[in-house]
Amino acid sequence: MGSWDPEKGSKGKKRKTDSTYECEKRWIPWLLPTIVLANIIIFVLMMYTNNCPKNNKGSKGKCVARYLGRFSFQPSKENPLFGPSSNTMDKWGALQWSKVVHGKQGWRFITCLWLHGGLIHLFANVLSFVFIGIRHEQQFGYVRVGVIYLLSGFGGGILSSLFMQHTTTVGASGALFGLIGTMCSEFLTNWTIYTYKACLSWLYHLTIYFLLVSAVITFIAIIVLNLAVGVLPHIDNFANIGGFFTGFLLGFVLLFRPQSGWIKPQHRPAGAAVIPKHKPYQYVFCVIAVLLLIVGFGMGLLLVFKVANGNKHCSWCHHLTCAPTSNWPCGY
């Protein structure tokens, strides 16, 4: 009698199993498309209340695209992203360190995730959600992706509050970079799933490598685009960095999957080799990530409310998030 093949039955015929390298459940994405739609609606409403023709005092120039009426944009010297004024963003819940710490408005850590500094910022985030976020929700479901989205945005807001204490910042970029971070950690912790394909044809391998290279190129392009937008006013690369590392750690906690070849006990044939559900290193990564998240969130919030200023300990860090020009200043 032949030996047991986890992809075949005892007579060598293909059979359906619950092994991780077989077809996985695909979720129908609805959460992130809803978030994208909500972001667009909120931006339109924010521009409506901004009403540049009425509220612009003219000290920084004329409104951009005045033919849009009250939906026209602030002067480019004030907001080069084609968006509203700082005052409007503040009224809608933008992240402002002084109001979080002294005004006890901690809710701004969450409300800022739904705001965008302008059309350029909104376009960059929507594009990134389409290429990264929806794929994540298809693979892991709305619950885990929703938790990652919120916690990454919160983590990004904490780091932002340590460095950006004199400016108003907005955007879901921190949450978006959290999803990017989980892509990296998910690949590391589920490495065996991507490498266990020896029984498949060379054409399959070639296709996978092609898709992988394409995904990496898209991945890098999205990161570069968002970091480039992050040096403009009202956008915060510290939130991007904080969100990325928060998401990176959350990926080890929420996205680790059974190793290749594992089969549920109720579907395991007699005589089949018993393969552990997870690799030991997956548990190690998970425990370390949980500890780092607890320490990071705890210390971060403690420093924020103790009025710590990260720029005093890093004299060059402010260059990561704003490129001062003659058209706009950087309020560090």
Side-chain angles (χ1 to χ4, degrees):
M1 295 180 66
S3 61
W4 168 256
D5 185 338
E7 269 204 349
K8 301 177 181 179
S10 58
K11 295 184 179 180
K13 294 181 180 179
K14 191 83 172 181
R15 64 169 283 164
K16 183 177 179 180
T17 70
D18 283 55
S19 56
T20 57
Y21 54 86
E22 301 261 347
C23 294
E24 297 174 339
K25 178 179 179 180
R26 290 287 174 176
W27 300 77
I28 298 176
W30 64 268
L31 177 64
L32 291 182
T34 301
I35 290 175
V36 169
L37 179 61
N39 285 338
I40 294 173
I41 293 174
I42 290 172
F43 180 75
V44 172
L45 293 175
M46 188 164 58
M47 291 305 305
Y48 179 83
T49 58
N50 183 67
N51 197 356
C52 181
K54 178 181 178 180
N55 299 318
N56 180 39
K57 298 179 180 180
S59 60
K60 295 184 178 180
K62 297 181 179 180
C63 299
V64 178
R66 291 179 62 86
Y67 56 84
L68 294 175
R70 66 184 300 147
F71 292 97
S72 58
F73 311 115
Q74 292 299 119
S76 57
K77 286 188 177 182
E78 180 180 354
N79 188 343
L81 295 167
F82 302 108
S85 64
S86 297
N87 185 49
T88 299
M89 288 185 277
D90 179 52
K91 289 179 180 179
W92 276 79
L95 184 61
Q96 196 174 96
W97 172 83
S98 60
K99 293 190 176 181
V100 170
V101 176
H102 302 300
K104 308 301 180 183
Q105 298 179 9
W107 47 265
R108 289 180 179 267
F109 281 123
I110 302 301
T111 55
C112 71
L113 301 181
W114 303 88
L115 306 178
H116 290 81
L119 275 181
I120 296 176
H121 186 205
L122 180 64
F123 173 77
N125 275 356
V126 169
L127 184 67
S128 302
F129 275 125
V130 170
F131 283 100
I132 292 178
I134 292 180
R135 173 257 178 192
H136 248 44
E137 188 175 350
Q138 284 178 328
Q139 191 167 10
F140 298 106
Y142 65 91
V143 174
R144 284 183 283 184
V145 168
V147 171
I148 291 169
Y149 183 89
L150 290 175
L151 289 182
S152 297
F154 184 57
I158 291 176
L159 187 63
S160 174
S161 297
L162 290 173
F163 287 91
M164 304 291 289
Q165 299 185 348
H166 304 290
T167 58
T168 301
T169 60
V170 297
S173 300
L176 172 64
F177 268 76
L179 295 177
I180 294 175
T182 60
M183 288 182 65
C184 299
S185 55
E186 188 270 331
F187 183 77
L188 291 175
T189 195
N190 298 323
W191 176 251
T192 59
I193 296 177
Y194 298 103
T195 56
Y196 186 80
K197 297 290 182 179
C199 59
L200 301 176
S201 68
W202 64 270
L203 182 59
Y204 176 88
H205 285 285
L206 184 62
T207 303
I208 289 297
Y209 290 141
F210 174 77
L211 293 175
L212 181 60
V213 171
S214 300
V216 169
I217 293 175
T218 304
F219 179 78
I220 294 174
I222 288 174
I223 291 178
V224 171
L225 173 64
N226 281 275
L227 289 178
V229 172
V231 302
L232 299 175
H234 308 303
I235 315 301
D236 184 5
N237 271 339
F238 286 112
N240 295 345
I241 295 170
F244 177 86
F245 283 107
T246 301
F248 182 74
L249 294 175
L250 285 171
F252 289 120
V253 179
L254 298 176
L255 303 186
F256 70 97
R257 296 183 287 179
Q259 64 171 310
S260 292
W262 174 77
I263 303 173
K264 290 183 178 180
Q266 62 266 35
H267 295 104
R268 187 186 303 128
V274 178
I275 299 177
K277 185 174 182 178
H278 298 103
K279 290 282 189 179
Y281 75 83
Q282 290 179 299
Y283 293 112
V284 173
F285 283 164
C286 179
V287 172
I288 293 175
V290 168
L291 293 176
L292 289 177
L293 284 168
I294 294 173
V295 173
F297 277 117
M299 289 296 296
L301 287 171
L302 181 64
L303 291 173
V304 167
F305 286 98
K306 277 199 169 185
V307 198
N309 189 338
N311 292 303
K312 292 182 179 180
H313 306 283
C314 181
S315 59
W316 55 269
C317 284
H318 58 270
H319 294 298
L320 293 173
T321 195
C322 188
T325 71
S326 59
N327 291 326
W328 63 77
C330 289
Y332 306 126

